[in-house]
Amino acid sequence: MLVSWALAVAGINVPRPLAQVAVLTALGAALAVVIVRTAAALRSEDRERRLAGYALLALVGVSIALRLTGLGFELTDHFHNDEGVFLETAREINGGDPLPVHFHYPHLLYYLSALALWIQGLFPAVLGGLGSSLLGVGLDGLDPLTLRLLAASLGALTTVPVFFAARRAAGLTAGILAGALITLSPVYNEVAHLAISDVPAGFFAALTVMLAAHLLERESLSGYLLAGVAAGLAAASKYPAGMSALAIVAVWTYWRLRRRDLNPLLVWSGLASIATVLAVMPALWLRSESVVVGQGAPDILFGFRQYAQYGWIGVVKGSNTAYYLRGLASGLGLPALVAGLAGIFFLAPRERTRSLALLVYPVLFLTLLISMSMVVKRNLQPVLPAVAVVLGVGISAWPAVLERRLGAGRVWVALLVAICLVPPAVLSVAWDISRVRPGTRELALEWIDANVPEGSGFVKEAYTPQLHARRFVWQQVRYVARLELERILDPRWDYLLLARNAHQRFLDPERRFQPHHEVIAGRYERLFELELVQRFQPGMLRSGPDLLIYRLEPEAIEYATSRRFGVADVTWYSDPALRPRQPQAPVSFTRRGLSVLFKQHFEAGDYRVRVNPQPAGVTAWLYLVTRDNEEVAEIELGPESTISLPRRDKYFFRVFLSAGGELRHLVIEPLSD
């Protein structure tokens, strides 16, 4: 399969049936191995192995269900920015450019994504049908869905190495608890719904911890080599995830203290890690001139500069320690965090030593996160599986403690397990439900389509929904208040669309680190004084940003009693092709149904309305609404056409001409004249 894909990337045509056979053979062989091993475990005469098989099968089933639910949420209309990086790079690889020149992300997910897209291209009808029937995704969303399926699969399979790592360290109960914690983790589940590098980083870091836990039983060259390869794959997913190699170092140190020798197995493991990174990222040595190209470029040091030296408002917190502790508490549950860490001290000496060895990597990784200049929740993804392993081991000590010291029975043990697992389970299920319901952006779009006149102008910021390009005009900036108030309040704009996720960072005085932050915050305070028309808030069962829609009005409104609109006053064209190419040219209508829009504040009253004379056979219509999209008139325009404006308001004059018509002006004048 890999050979067929590599040949296709190199431009060598592989017959489609042959490529399909190669893919089906490889996937079938992998599936057969899984089925055989699972069946052997379920039929085993060893009761513990049989129970482990059933437990793991149930955990993986739950994990798959959680990761796949809501996978199509905002797939095509609001694709996550970083997801687009991996999608475009994967397409470039399959298009014949196999060596990415940007190194701000490692390249493993680029290649995995390219391989997944190639496989999808071999079976478009099958995968397209599955996407449409199960997730409601059309063909335009098939490529991004494929990448999310890849990420979700790795996220679901993380349960497996976590289960085996904890089981190896402290037995079956620890394995089940650890597997359940990472399966139900709200933070891990949320990130695993996105096609970003944090997801494979978490999986391969978990695989490294599992292989390190196996080495706690017995050292072997093959074990160290495999663990080194896994750590290399973690680093090739996201550079900091390479710190999972610290789990190998901790285990090696554990054995050296016991055996009082200096076995070189760690060196071989390190060489395996380096070789893996170089093999997965050939551009490191084939395009070495692009690896480090200077500050600000997407080179290998880009992330280091951002996280270690800079940061920006919104991702710089008062206390990184508090932020990531809250992230761990929400990611695995505060009861599990407390019970797991406390339980370590009640473990038998052998299990306690092993859990402490496995704790080295998460402690040092979290220390690195805390020392950075900015914080992002998804940075926890590579370390959550390792923490889940330690917590599962620690919680497994409590049944014996409760029984030995308190005489508690199984009911109390079950209660403890429920206290640890129910909170993250509820949050994960609720989050998944929120992804299958309409999000705030979708609700906002529905409201805008129903209540805002076509042709209205918006000023909007990041995190807000993508408006229909043919229905509205807009200007978008990351933070609206970067614009001067005069530009925002320009009469051509009708609505202001804000997202708390974008501007919330400016509302806390303690987070304003630069002088211009104060300026931006002051503008936002002024904008909040505008008329709030509608708000769409997220909740436990509703995903999306907190969206606010304000009505925009000039500082001083002048209500007209007459107006002669020219072509230069057109604020919206129903078809961009209508826009005249010359400054003084009229608007030429080539087919029926085309229209242009004029806007003006008018006094209430009766008015005569007309357009410039038209050629014979050309008909003109006027569709008139208020700023609230209330219909006022729908008339055919002639020499003596009249309209009645019911109140002082802003009106939207939409003019239609039949084919062959030319619009030079629209005149509105008092009927009394």
Side-chain angles (χ1 to χ4, degrees), residues 21 23 54 93 105 166 193 219 314 339 458 481 486 622 654:
V21 169
V23 170
Y54 280 110
I93 291 172
Y105 291 117
H193 279 71
E219 287 189 297
F458 285 79
E486 293 75 14
L622 174 68
R654 191 171 173 190

Side-chain angles (χ1 to χ4, degrees), residues 86-171:
F86 292 99
L87 177 60
E88 291 307 314
T89 305
R91 286 170 171 169
E92 290 171 2
I93 291 172
N94 285 342
D97 186 7
L99 299 175
V101 295
H102 40 84
F103 293 86
H104 52 315
Y105 291 117
H107 296 174
L108 177 59
L109 187 56
Y110 292 152
Y111 291 116
L112 291 177
S113 300
L115 176 61
L117 290 180
W118 176 74
I119 293 174
Q120 177 246 105
L122 293 175
F123 306 95
V126 176
L127 296 178
L130 289 174
S132 176
S133 59
L134 297 180
L135 298 170
V137 176
L139 291 178
D140 58 332
L142 193 54
D143 281 2
L145 176 62
T146 300
L147 268 58
R148 283 193 180 178
L149 281 170
L150 170 64
S153 299
L154 293 172
L157 292 176
T158 304
T159 298
V160 177
V162 169
F163 173 89
F164 281 116
R167 183 190 178 198
R168 181 69 65 174

Side-chain angles (χ1 to χ4, degrees), residues 198-429:
D198 306 81
V199 183
F203 172 78
F204 289 112
L207 190 62
T208 304
V209 172
M210 182 196 78
L211 294 169
H214 278 249
L215 288 171
L216 284 169
E217 289 285 343
R218 182 176 63 86
E219 287 189 297
S220 68
L221 176 60
S222 61
Y224 274 100
L225 290 175
L226 287 174
V229 169
L233 291 173
S237 299
K238 193 167 187 178
Y239 299 120
M243 288 185 67
S244 58
L246 291 169
I248 309 171
V249 175
V251 171
W252 181 84
T253 304
Y254 162 80
W255 283 112
R256 302 291 69 77
L257 292 175
R258 289 192 60 181
R259 294 178 173 175
R260 307 291 181 180
D261 63 12
L262 288 176
N263 194 305
L265 289 173
L266 184 63
V267 176
W268 290 108
S269 184
L271 291 174
S273 294
I274 295 171
T276 300
V277 172
L278 293 175
V280 171
M281 297 180 61
L284 281 173
W285 41 282
L286 292 176
R287 285 186 169 174
S288 57
E289 72 282 357
S290 300
V291 176
V292 181
V293 296
Q295 184 166 323
D299 57 17
I300 202 168
L301 297 178
F302 178 82
F304 170 78
R305 287 191 294 270
Q306 294 297 320
Y307 278 91
Q309 301 175 20
Y310 303 133
W312 54 82
I313 187 170
V315 294
V316 178
K317 303 297 181 182
S319 171
N320 289 9
T321 303
Y323 177 87
Y324 281 118
L325 285 178
R326 286 195 298 269
L328 286 175
S330 62
L332 295 166
L334 183 59
L337 202 61
V338 173
L341 293 177
I344 292 175
F345 297 98
F346 297 106
L347 291 167
R350 175 174 174 270
E351 283 76 16
R352 185 188 309 125
T353 302
R354 291 184 172 190
S355 63
L356 291 175
L358 296 178
L359 193 57
V360 170
Y361 156 55
V363 167
L364 293 179
F365 188 89
L366 289 169
T367 301
L368 173 67
L369 293 185
I370 290 169
S371 68
M372 292 177 174
S373 295
M374 64 185 201
V375 296
V376 180
K377 182 170 61 175
R378 69 183 190 219
N379 286 342
L380 288 170
Q381 200 77 353
V383 77
L384 282 174
V387 177
V389 170
V390 175
L391 296 184
V393 171
I395 297 172
S396 70
W398 282 104
V401 173
L402 292 173
E403 183 177 356
R404 184 173 62 252
R405 300 194 178 186
L406 302 178
R410 293 182 179 180
V411 173
W412 290 100
V413 173
L415 180 61
L416 173 66
V417 172
I419 291 173
C420 291
L421 297 183
V422 169
V426 169
L427 291 177
S428 287
V429 171

Side-chain angles (χ1 to χ4, degrees), residues 562-565 608-612 665-669:
S562 65
R563 179 71 189 270
R564 180 186 177 92
F565 294 103
R608 183 180 294 108
V609 56
R610 57 185 170 82
V611 296
N612 56 281
H665 57 256
L666 170 70
V667 178
I668 301 170
E669 52 194 8

Side-chain angles (χ1 to χ4, degrees), residues 343-560:
I344 292 175
F345 297 98
F346 297 106
L347 291 167
R350 175 174 174 270
E351 283 76 16
R352 185 188 309 125
T353 302
R354 291 184 172 190
S355 63
L356 291 175
L358 296 178
L359 193 57
V360 170
Y361 156 55
V363 167
L364 293 179
F365 188 89
L366 289 169
T367 301
L368 173 67
L369 293 185
I370 290 169
S371 68
M372 292 177 174
S373 295
M374 64 185 201
V375 296
V376 180
K377 182 170 61 175
R378 69 183 190 219
N379 286 342
L380 288 170
Q381 200 77 353
V383 77
L384 282 174
V387 177
V389 170
V390 175
L391 296 184
V393 171
I395 297 172
S396 70
W398 282 104
V401 173
L402 292 173
E403 183 177 356
R404 184 173 62 252
R405 300 194 178 186
L406 302 178
R410 293 182 179 180
V411 173
W412 290 100
V413 173
L415 180 61
L416 173 66
V417 172
I419 291 173
C420 291
L421 297 183
V422 169
V426 169
L427 291 177
S428 287
V429 171
W431 191 86
D432 274 12
I433 292 173
S434 75
R435 307 293 279 191
V436 296
R437 301 179 70 215
T440 57
R441 277 184 280 250
E442 186 176 343
L443 294 178
L445 277 178
E446 291 177 358
W447 184 89
I448 289 170
D449 286 343
N451 297 279
V452 174
E454 196 165 358
S456 293
F458 285 79
V459 181
K460 58 197 291 286
E461 62 185 0
Y463 299 101
T464 57
Q466 297 293 331
L467 302 177
H468 298 294
R470 288 294 183 93
R471 288 179 54 85
F472 306 104
V473 293
W474 67 85
Q475 179 179 0
Q476 177 165 333
V477 291
R478 183 167 186 178
Y479 311 118
V480 156
R482 281 180 173 174
L483 301 173
E484 295 83 0
L485 288 175
E486 293 75 14
R487 294 178 61 185
I488 299 172
L489 299 176
D490 187 291
R492 62 179 170 149
W493 304 122
D494 307 293
Y495 291 93
L496 177 66
L497 185 50
L498 299 182
R500 286 286 190 210
N501 304 57
H503 64 253
Q504 184 72 44
R505 62 200 71 190
F506 295 101
L507 304 186
D508 184 353
E510 295 183 1
R511 300 290 183 266
R512 301 170 193 165
F513 305 110
Q514 303 294 332
H516 69 276
H517 294 165
E518 295 289 346
V519 175
I520 292 175
R523 289 175 184 164
Y524 273 119
E525 293 297 335
R526 169 65 180 85
L527 294 174
F528 295 152
E529 296 174 2
L530 298 171
E531 180 188 352
L532 179 62
V533 180
Q534 194 59 258
R535 184 174 184 178
F536 301 91
Q537 293 179 277
M540 191 171 183
L541 299 178
R542 180 82 67 195
S543 284
D546 188 353
L547 299 174
L548 304 99
I549 303 177
Y550 291 89
R551 196 186 308 281
L552 286 176
E553 296 284 15
E555 294 277 8
I557 302 176
E558 295 183 5
Y559 291 91

Side-chain angles (χ1 to χ4, degrees), residues 574-575 578 589-595 617-621 634 636 656-661:
S574 65
D575 188 330
L578 275 174
F589 290 72
T590 57
R591 56 184 171 82
R592 188 181 180 87
L594 299 177
S595 63
V618 173
T619 306
W621 299 269
E634 185 175 5
E636 183 176 338
F656 296 78
L657 296 183
S658 58

